[in-house]
């Protein structure tokens, strides 16, 4: 396999100055994935081991890579940000393969096929240096590529004269170099006359001048857009998101106002499903077939089985939802919620760390926390599980067995168990377990004070006199 | 009238393969209207009777047409999907007019004027066959139109050679054919060499070869876009929605971030009204003059009178709203809600099947279901109408007469009537009718357990020892 | 300073016919600012005094200008809308400076630099008349500019012949005229043959014919777009909003789906902050550094300090929020809410006119109005402050001292004070003050009716028999 003779260096030490956020740009996400993971996962797929050159916010970046469990990564710290040439040089002692692939860390739209083709061409033409270029309308900030007969050079933006600034062929920052050439040349790179940094881009001219083969591979700019500003991040995410959207459309998913919807890369949506305006499908969420997710809902790290409906304005995190379930509108499943088939959770209802069995309803204005609800339970409007003892700072559990009916505005003070088929009268505060098929009632008796309103109003008048 | 000599065949039997959803694409909506209704309603407006050729998911399509009450439709079933030529042939026995207009079912942007002009030209030039063509940037999937002197032919995508694939003039799939020619030619159409299906497109070459007049009418592609994928459905709906938006703008409606808003075709909005970001105005909704519908609200099948305001994040269905009403934010009128003038419904309030008279307020966290509220009623925060007897599975009614005041966190257990001017104390559970101008109270008396907190905490400590 | 020899006339008397809304278009906002304020604030920045010619809806416009506290404005009423020439003439008696700058009131994208350059060129070339022109794709409705040797004329749309209609150089409606020339010429302007109105545009030809210097300054159309329809208002606001967005991006703000977000001109956002899909940041809001405002939230006239998070679907108005605060999702801070550091306000919670100290939580389904909450207070789910006496129509105050714990579904009937460290049992209705560290309890005792459910169901059966 050709890739066996390749190792990679990924440049991730830069200062992200133009982001203006005191964070490394490489930790920013594109469709849910931190930017630095795009080149690393690409290399992992191609089985190319990589050295990651870190510097600015090195710990932040290492943490991101660690969390993502990327394999075959060797971290190298560039102590001072002295330019790409210096960054590459830092990894010199680790160069063991025949060819070194150098990538920028900020190119989330790069395709595997571009790297595969670069390697193919580099090897087949016995090139010393191959690099990727693209035409772009506004090449501001990028090095410009000048192709002449038997020669290719890259001029950094800072060194461009007026005429060179008009060149639209930009250097994408992807190089494949013969190890031998790199070894002998890397230390010969000189400080840039304008910035004082050492740039790897000078290798192109160096190789050309020695009569070595330099390959320029031209690709579409949209695949090699770099991200130096938050505006460029926006542009790159637009393209990625739009591609995701088209992929899911082709698999039978209908998006309402597709341009308003946000999908993460790692989500799945079944055919026949409908995704409404503004919906966010995030972080590994899996939506089954023929589901409906209505406008303005946010679904994160959740599995939803076939034929379920999440109505508008719902927020669902870290949950598992069965078939034929209806949630919302205005519902919130906060975390660790498991809903069995045909459960209905209605408006202004919050559920947290709870397991709810088939055919159970909580339709209005309720809070269900740290609870287990059986099947065919009915939760009246305004029901609260008082799961938190705020004095002792402990959370307690509420258990409702099958067929329990809870009246409106009831408080279930946990720990408490309502046994099978028991009913609780509206407005009760339940502090003790309730036996099967009994009625629990805990509220004041209704009294009437006749003519109270008129007396009260008269009183008020008198006060004013 | 010219149209009297025309009858139409609408092709609606195709398999919708590229939708990948196990449903007929013709049932998918564009701005709220199922796709198949666009050509059918157009024909109805032009008073042209139509045969609808159905096959794949025939029952689904018939149901859509039935619900929409389209007249003058004759359903014909194509048993096997053997191509458009075969589909047209299925209707042969019903050909009674002089000219047969053949339309695809999936062209929701088609204008009446195009068909009128096609008929006009066809008749005035004594054409045997007239058809519609359009230039499009990416004609992939469409038949290509080749115009030569005294000849016009259509080559299906599948039969195009490389050079024909570059032709951008596409066949829109709209034909007007002399009955006599169609009768003698339809059975001469041969199976396509690539797909094995029989295509009506071959009629063009056939007529040309016989020296008969073949008219090609060129129109703008945006009027004849077909819908073969969910991505094409998105594009078509974008255009339709954008046209709707422009129409309402010209009539004095301001849209905030117009590109984020969804309007159905059958809605109406009065001048001076404001429609916020992301708002959905759906399914026959009528909004009066000088109304404000704030961001992220969804209004469906509802009438809203002048000067009313629906605040953000509200969901309103199947309701009737008077003048100077304020609803929301975060309100839900679920169904069959009638609000008289100057009613106010506030945040986290759900109303269902209820009639509310003038000047009545329900401002916070309440559920009003199956109720009648008089005028000048005040509903305290957290009020619940317990309308559902979950044990006996019946819904009961709550009646609040004029000037009733309900204290916070009250449950009104239906069936129950609170008579004129009566007050209900906060936290009460009301199970019996309340007389006029009386106070009803049903709650526990306040008791104080001194120093309880310290004792409790000490207890906890002891337990731990 | 050159501007000292300039005075301005701003034309704001037009009928806004094409808006179709019975309001002056000049009161419509672009990114939160009424349109008429754009030229007036520009003139104020350049220290050029202005006469504002009003007519249609004059009082509306005067009120807008008054509220915005614009200085150096002289209102002149044009009694009848007889055209721009007549409008300018109305101000004749106030002409005191050497040059008169004439602006349309409906040009919200105009830059200071364009006016500065116009003045610079006008003065340096000793021009009698200078005006601004721009090429635009669809000049429909604008006057067309014809430049010939030593001559420049403007032809109103209504007077254009077919060939002139194809001219794409439009008259922006910005003129700088020598006072002397204007004085002698203004009364010579004749009624337009088509409309019967008097147009200032005829001054160009008049000056040219006299051999006087007429300057045409060409600028980009996007800076001088006029607003005659709600569709044009949409376009202008799109451009303004997009520019705002880019500015804040460059300062370190990340926008999720930037094209869905609405920012007003007068807001501020700190670097490192994240603004979610559809968020509205309105009316002078100031957001600190490293804040997160999640999707579909609306923030108006509010200050939010660093590191705070407003979760999705929240509505916040007229409030002040400290550091490390978490609000939402589905929270509403209605007005005059002050949250100290580390406060948490959760879902379906409304807060109004209240001051809440550090580390206090109200996590679910509550209404806090007219209240003062100390630090480390815990508000149970479903808590209501009954602040409104709907009978006596007064609002009363609730005071909760530090470390108070309120059980779920409690009503605090104001005026009431819960003293330090006191606890209130779930489901209580508190009407009297609660002493320090005591427990207040006001609810019914729990009773059980055994086998009630079966009896009830049997009863029902019997009824049916």
């Amino acid at each position: 396999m050709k890739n066996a003779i390749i190792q990679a260096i990924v440049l991730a030490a830069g200062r992200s100055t133009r982001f203006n956020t005191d964070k490394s740009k490489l930790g920013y996400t594109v469709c849910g994935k931190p930017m630095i993971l795009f080149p690393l996962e690409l290399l992992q797929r191609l089985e190319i081991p990589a050295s990651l050159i870190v510097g600015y916010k090195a710990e932040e970046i290492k943490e991101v890579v660690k969390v993502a469990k990327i394999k075959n990564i060797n971290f190298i710290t560039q102590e001072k940000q002295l330019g790409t040439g210096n960054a590459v040089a830092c990894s010199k002692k680790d160069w063991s393969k025949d060819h070194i692939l150098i990538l920028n860390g900020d190119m989330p739209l790069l395709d595997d096929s571009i790297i595969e083709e670069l390697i193919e061409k580099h090897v087949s033409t016995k090139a010393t240096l191959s690099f990727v270029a693209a035409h772009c309308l506004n090449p501001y900030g990028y090095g410009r590529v000048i192709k002449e007969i038997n020669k290719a050079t890259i001029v950094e933006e800072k060194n461009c004269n007026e005429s060179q600034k008009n060149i639209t062929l930009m250097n994408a920052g992807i190089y494949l170099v013969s190890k031998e050439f790199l070894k002998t040349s890397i230390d010969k790179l000189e400080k840039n006359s304008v910035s004082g940094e050492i740039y790897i881009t000078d290798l192109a001219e160096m190789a050309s001048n020695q009569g070595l083969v330099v390959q320029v591979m031209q690709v579409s700019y949209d695949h090699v857009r770099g991200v130096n500003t938050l505006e460029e991040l926006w542009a790159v995410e637009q393209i990625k998101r739009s591609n995701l959207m088209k992929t899911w459309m082709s698999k039978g998913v209908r998006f309402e106002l597709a341009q308003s919807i946000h999908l993460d890369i790692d989500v799945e949506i079944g055919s026949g499903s409908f995704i409404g305006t503004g919906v966010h499908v995030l972080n590994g969420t899996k939506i089954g077939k023929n589901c409906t997710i209505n406008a303005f809902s946010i679904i994160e790290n959740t599995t939803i089985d076939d034929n379920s409906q999440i109505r508008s304005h719902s927020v669902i995190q870290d949950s598992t939802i069965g078939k034929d379930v209806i949630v919302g509108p205005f519902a919130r499943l906060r975390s660790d919620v498991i809903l069995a088939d045909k459960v209905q959770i209605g408006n202004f209802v919050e559920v947290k760390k709870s397991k709810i069995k088939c055919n159970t309803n909580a339709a209005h204005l309720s809070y269900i926390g740290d609870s287990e609800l059986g099947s065919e339970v009915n939760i009246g409007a305004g029901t609260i599980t008082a799961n938190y003892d705020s004095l002792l700072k402990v959370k307690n559990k509420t258990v409702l067995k099958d067929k329990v009916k809870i009246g409106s505005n009831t408080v279930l003070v946990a720990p408490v168990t309502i046994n099978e088929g028991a009913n609780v009268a509206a407005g009760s505060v339940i502090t003790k377990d309730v036996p099967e098929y009994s009625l629990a009632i805990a509220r004041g008796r209704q009294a009437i004070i006749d003519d109270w309103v008129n007396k009260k109003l008269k009183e008020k008048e008198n006060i004013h006199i």
Side-chain angles (χ1 to χ4, degrees), chain A residues 25 33-34 51 59 74 106 119 128 134 164 205 232 238 243 246 251-252 274 283 333 337-338 341 379 442 460:
Chain A
K25 66 182 180 183
K33 191 195 286 289
S51 297
E59 293 313 309
N74 170 33
D106 68 347
I119 294 171
T128 291
Q164 288 167 335
E205 191 166 14
E232 287 171 356
Q238 276 292 107
N243 290 342
K246 285 178 188 171
K251 291 183 177 174
F274 172 93
N283 194 6
L333 308 187
V337 174
I338 301 175
D341 297 351
I379 302 288
K460 187 194 170 191

Side-chain angles (χ1 to χ4, degrees), chain A residues 4 25 187 198-199 229 326 345 373 376 393 423 462:
Chain A
K25 66 182 180 183
D187 299 325
I198 298 166
Y199 294 127
T229 63
I326 300 177
I345 301 295
L373 274 60
E376 289 171 62
K393 300 194 174 163
N423 282 22
N462 292 336

Side-chain angles (χ1 to χ4, degrees), chain A residues 9-14 24-28 34-40 52-53 61 102-110 172-174 225-227:
Chain A
I9 300 171
V10 179
L11 305 178
S24 166
K25 66 182 180 183
L26 299 173
Y28 275 80
M35 232 194 298
I36 188 59
L37 297 182
F38 286 85
L40 298 184
L52 187 64
I53 314 295
I61 293 172
I102 304 169
L103 294 179
N104 279 333
D106 68 347
M107 241 179 282
L109 300 175
L110 189 61
I174 304 169
R225 283 170 177 264
V227 177

Side-chain angles (χ1 to χ4, degrees), chain A residues 386-404:
Chain A
N387 59 322
Y388 182 51
D389 185 325
S390 60
L391 191 65
L392 306 186
K393 300 194 174 163
V394 290
K395 304 248 163 154
N396 296 305
K397 216 167 149 178
T398 302
V399 178
L400 275 64
K401 299 290 175 85
D402 294 352
K403 296 180 192 165
V404 158

Side-chain angles (χ1 to χ4, degrees), chain A residues 266-286:
Chain A
D266 59 359
V267 304
E268 291 176 24
I269 311 174
S271 76
S273 286
F274 172 93
I275 308 292
T277 299
V279 165
H280 286 46
V281 187
L282 304 175
N283 194 6
T285 289
K286 286 181 186 36

Side-chain angles (χ1 to χ4, degrees), chain A residues 197-338:
Chain A
E197 296 192 348
I198 298 166
Y199 294 127
I200 195 176
T201 43
D202 290 346
L203 289 173
E205 191 166 14
M206 221 181 258
S208 290
N209 289 346
Q210 293 173 33
L212 300 168
V213 177
V214 177
Q215 279 276 348
V216 183
M217 183 175 134
Q218 241 174 272
V219 301
S220 155
Y221 176 56
D222 272 355
H223 285 114
V224 293
R225 283 170 177 264
V227 177
N228 292 302
T229 63
L230 282 157
E231 194 178 333
E232 287 171 356
L233 178 64
W234 169 79
V236 159
E237 196 174 41
Q238 276 292 107
I239 294 169
K240 178 64 81 181
R241 192 192 283 126
S242 157
N243 290 342
L244 284 174
M245 212 66 81
K246 285 178 188 171
T247 303
W248 290 111
M249 279 181 183
S250 76
K251 291 183 177 174
V253 178
R254 183 175 192 186
F255 297 96
E256 182 192 45
L257 261 169
Q259 65 272 33
S260 72
I261 291 169
H262 182 87
L263 299 185
D264 273 357
I265 288 175
D266 59 359
V267 304
E268 291 176 24
I269 311 174
S271 76
S273 286
F274 172 93
I275 308 292
T277 299
V279 165
H280 286 46
V281 187
L282 304 175
N283 194 6
T285 289
K286 286 181 186 36
I287 296 172
K289 290 187 182 179
N290 299 313
C291 289
T292 299
I293 315 292
N294 286 119
F296 316 123
S297 286
I298 300 176
I299 321 285
E300 201 177 328
N301 187 29
T302 287
T303 301
I304 300 175
D305 210 338
D306 299 348
N307 300 312
S308 284
Q309 181 183 9
I310 310 300
R311 289 182 174 154
S312 70
H313 306 87
S314 296
V315 177
I316 300 180
Q317 293 164 301
D318 308 315
S319 295
T320 305
I321 293 176
K323 291 192 212 311
D324 302 303
V325 167
I326 300 177
V327 173
F330 308 108
R332 186 187 189 201
L333 308 187
R334 183 140 60 100
S335 64
D336 295 318
V337 174
I338 301 175

